[in-house]
Amino acid sequence: VFAQNIELTLPVYHLEIDSVYLEELYYNPSTNDYFPAVFSLGEYQYDCEVRFRGAMSLNLPKKSWRIQFSDNNNIFGAEKINLNAEYLDRSLMRNYLAFKLFQYLNYPSPNTEHVSFFVNDVYMGVFVQVEVVDESFLERNNRLSGNLYKAKNHGASMAPLATYNSYFGTWNKKIGDGLDYTDIQLLFSKILYWTTQDFEASIGDEINVDNILNYFAIEFVIVSYDC
C-alpha cells in the first residue's frame, strides 16, 4: 500500500493507459483485444498494447498482464512480455523457482524475474515477469522453429479429441499454419491407439522419452498441480 513512499529494490515498471481502456479491461477481463498504452522502465519508454492474461485467474482481484510491443527492438529483445500476478501464491516464488529448477537441469525454460508494477501511477504490487515462449525463445534455446502449440484449457491432455474442430478451441497454435492441426491429431492418436508392441517400437521416433520421463518426475516432485 505504501510502496510509493519507500525505496523499491526491484525493477520498477510503469504503464500508462487511458482510464476508459482500463475500465473496459476490468469490465471484460477475458477479452483478447489489446488496448494502447505506454510502457516505461527507467529512461526507456515504448508504445505498446496490453490486455489481461490467464484463464481462471482472470476472476481474481490481482490480474496478470500481457504487454505487446510493435517489434523486439526494446530493452527486453522481445515482442511480448508476461507479468504474472501469482495471486494465489503469497510467496510469489513457486513458479519462479520451478522455472529456475528446469533451467538448472538444462531444460529450455523461460527466463523470469520479480518486478514492481505501477499502472497510471498506482502501485499494483510485485509481479513475476515470465519470458514468452515464441520464436525468440526457441532461437535462444537452439531449437528449430517448427509447429508450436500452447494449451488453452485442461482439455489439452495430449489425447485425441472427438472432432477435428475441437483442436482449435483446446490448443492455440503459436507457430505454423493456424488452420492445420493434423500433426498433433496424428501424434495423439498414435499414443492412444497403437498396440503395446507398436508403442514400444515406435514411440522413441516421435518424442524424446527420457525428456518426458524426467519432466514428469520434476512435476511430481514440485507438486505442480496446474501444469
Side-chain angles (χ1 to χ4, degrees):
V1 174
F2 303 105
Q4 295 93 328
N5 301 321
I6 64 174
E7 181 180 354
L8 299 178
T9 58
L10 298 172
V12 180
Y13 292 0
H14 285 270
L15 192 74
E16 294 293 331
I17 180 173
D18 190 285
S19 59
V20 174
Y21 297 142
L22 189 60
E23 289 176 5
E24 177 64 23
L25 276 172
Y26 277 100
Y27 178 76
N28 185 18
S30 61
T31 181
N32 288 322
D33 294 335
Y34 283 88
F35 295 90
V38 176
F39 174 89
S40 301
L41 170 58
E43 63 185 38
Y44 300 98
Q45 188 176 93
Y46 308 101
D47 292 332
C48 65
E49 294 181 318
V50 299
R51 65 172 175 82
F52 294 144
R53 65 181 302 271
M56 295 181 65
S57 63
L58 291 171
N59 297 317
L60 299 175
K62 185 181 178 185
K63 311 297 186 186
S64 296
W65 292 74
R66 166 70 57 83
I67 300 176
Q68 177 175 274
F69 305 104
S70 58
D71 52 41
N72 62 1
N73 185 25
N74 52 62
I75 192 174
F76 305 109
E79 293 185 8
K80 299 176 182 178
I81 61 172
N82 293 327
L83 299 181
N84 290 355
E86 306 292 357
Y87 180 79
L88 297 180
D89 174 17
R90 298 304 173 91
S91 72
L92 278 80
M93 290 296 294
R94 184 175 180 81
N95 274 339
Y96 176 86
L97 291 175
F99 287 133
K100 293 298 183 184
L101 175 60
F102 273 103
Q103 289 185 341
Y104 176 77
L105 297 172
N106 295 318
Y107 276 79
S109 179
N111 289 323
T112 181
E113 68 174 326
H114 291 90
V115 302
S116 294
F117 186 44
F118 288 80
V119 176
N120 292 348
D121 292 327
V122 176
Y123 182 62
M124 308 302 288
V126 173
F127 285 69
V128 179
Q129 178 183 335
V130 179
E131 179 184 11
V132 176
V133 178
D134 56 11
E135 293 93 335
S136 298
F137 173 88
L138 295 177
E139 182 179 349
R140 182 174 67 79
N141 286 281
N142 298 315
R143 295 297 180 101
L144 295 176
S145 182
N147 290 339
L148 180 66
Y149 296 89
K150 177 183 178 182
K152 295 176 69 173
N153 55 58
H154 289 285
S157 59
M158 296 192 72
L161 301 175
T163 65
Y164 184 73
N165 287 338
S166 299
Y167 287 88
F168 298 95
T170 305
W171 293 91
N172 181 15
K173 195 163 189 179
K174 306 289 288 185
I175 300 177
D177 184 351
L179 298 178
D180 184 4
Y181 282 62
T182 54
D183 55 346
I184 59 170
Q185 184 185 39
L186 178 60
L187 173 62
F188 299 165
S189 294
K190 287 178 179 179
I191 291 174
L192 183 64
Y193 296 120
W194 263 339
T195 64
T196 301
Q197 293 77 16
D198 288 340
F199 185 93
E200 292 177 351
S202 303
I203 190 61
D205 297 328
E206 302 288 340
I207 63 174
N208 185 316
V209 175
D210 286 340
N211 272 356
I212 293 291
L213 294 177
N214 289 336
Y215 167 79
F216 278 108
I218 297 168
E219 290 291 291
F220 277 107
V221 166
I222 64 177
V223 197
S224 180
Y225 294 115
D226 194 44
C227 196

